[in-house]
Amino acid sequence: MRLRYARKDGTQMEFELGDRPITIGRSPEADVVVLDEKVSRVHCGIRLWDGEFFIKDLKSRNGTVVNGQRVEMIRLNPGDRIRVGSTAFLFEQEASPQTDDALKEMQQAMADGKGYSTILQEIVEDMAEPAPPAAPATEQAIPAAPAAKPGPAKPMIKKTAAAKPGAPKTGTPFRVVIRKPAS
């Protein structure tokens, strides 16, 4: 999981979350430093507990807001919006390598002169096309190599076709974020 946010100068930032608890605050000792007068030195913390991420307000003066509600402690879900002072964070899952490839393709298409409407229309058309049927997994008997010495027959080995390495898992969600360049 990760936190995505923008600094006051407009720089887009990401902070990868892991097993180690993190703090957000104005202090240089905080893991995520937010330069904002409305943010306490150590404003809030995020930690992984029992496989889920929780955010806890650390007695800040202006509070921690998740999806528009001031919270003391709450479990975070992908897509949650966190506000600490004037800074907004987005809590999201990491993009899969396929998502990163899709973003690069879209950026290249835009650089080549395609507009958002054209790109979105192509995505919709691709989604409307039925996917080709997946090849069913098949089992086939592969005879064992002949024995060098006469003896008992070796058993037949069964081989099952497997998915290609690196292929996306069926049903694995991923997120594509399209940002319009600043004019």
Side-chain angles (χ1 to χ4, degrees):
M1 301 301 287
R2 70 177 164 207
L3 287 177
R4 187 181 294 242
Y5 62 103
R7 288 185 175 164
K8 284 189 176 188
D9 66 0
T11 307
Q12 292 292 319
M13 302 296 294
E14 288 181 359
F15 189 90
E16 297 293 325
L17 299 171
D19 295 337
R20 188 177 70 81
I22 66 145
T23 56
I24 299 172
R26 198 177 70 233
S27 169
E29 285 83 32
D31 297 299
V32 178
V33 178
V34 179
L35 301 176
D36 183 340
E37 296 168 0
K38 296 180 182 177
V39 175
S40 298
R41 286 186 202 111
V42 181
H43 196 97
C44 62
I46 298 176
R47 74 174 305 143
L48 181 66
W49 184 62
D50 212 14
E52 298 183 303
F53 284 94
F54 288 82
I55 188 167
K56 180 177 183 178
D57 185 79
L58 300 173
K59 299 183 181 180
S60 66
R61 184 186 324 199
N62 294 312
T64 301
V65 177
V66 177
N67 297 327
Q69 299 282 78
R70 190 169 176 161
V71 298
E72 293 299 317
M73 186 168 93
I74 191 169
R75 180 176 54 91
L76 292 171
N77 296 303
D80 279 351
R81 297 192 180 280
I82 303 162
R83 188 173 50 79
V84 175
S86 302
T87 304
F89 294 87
L90 177 62
F91 178 74
E92 63 184 10
Q93 290 180 326
E94 290 100 328
S96 67
Q98 293 86 7
T99 303
D100 290 339
D101 292 343
L103 287 173
K104 287 177 186 172
E105 286 178 32
M106 290 181 60
Q107 288 170 342
Q108 183 59 48
M110 290 174 61
D112 292 341
K114 281 190 182 178
Y116 285 106
S117 299
T118 304
I119 293 170
L120 291 174
Q121 182 64 37
E122 289 173 355
I123 292 170
V124 169
E125 288 171 1
D126 286 346
M127 291 174 63
E129 293 177 12
T138 59
E139 288 189 5
Q140 51 184 326
I142 300 173
K149 299 178 188 174
K154 291 192 176 180
M156 300 293 274
I157 301 170
K158 289 187 178 183
K159 184 176 180 182
T160 303
K164 291 181 184 177
K169 297 176 187 170
T170 306
T172 302
F174 65 92
R175 177 185 182 106
V176 176
V177 179
I178 302 171
R179 289 195 174 81
K180 188 172 184 179
S183 302

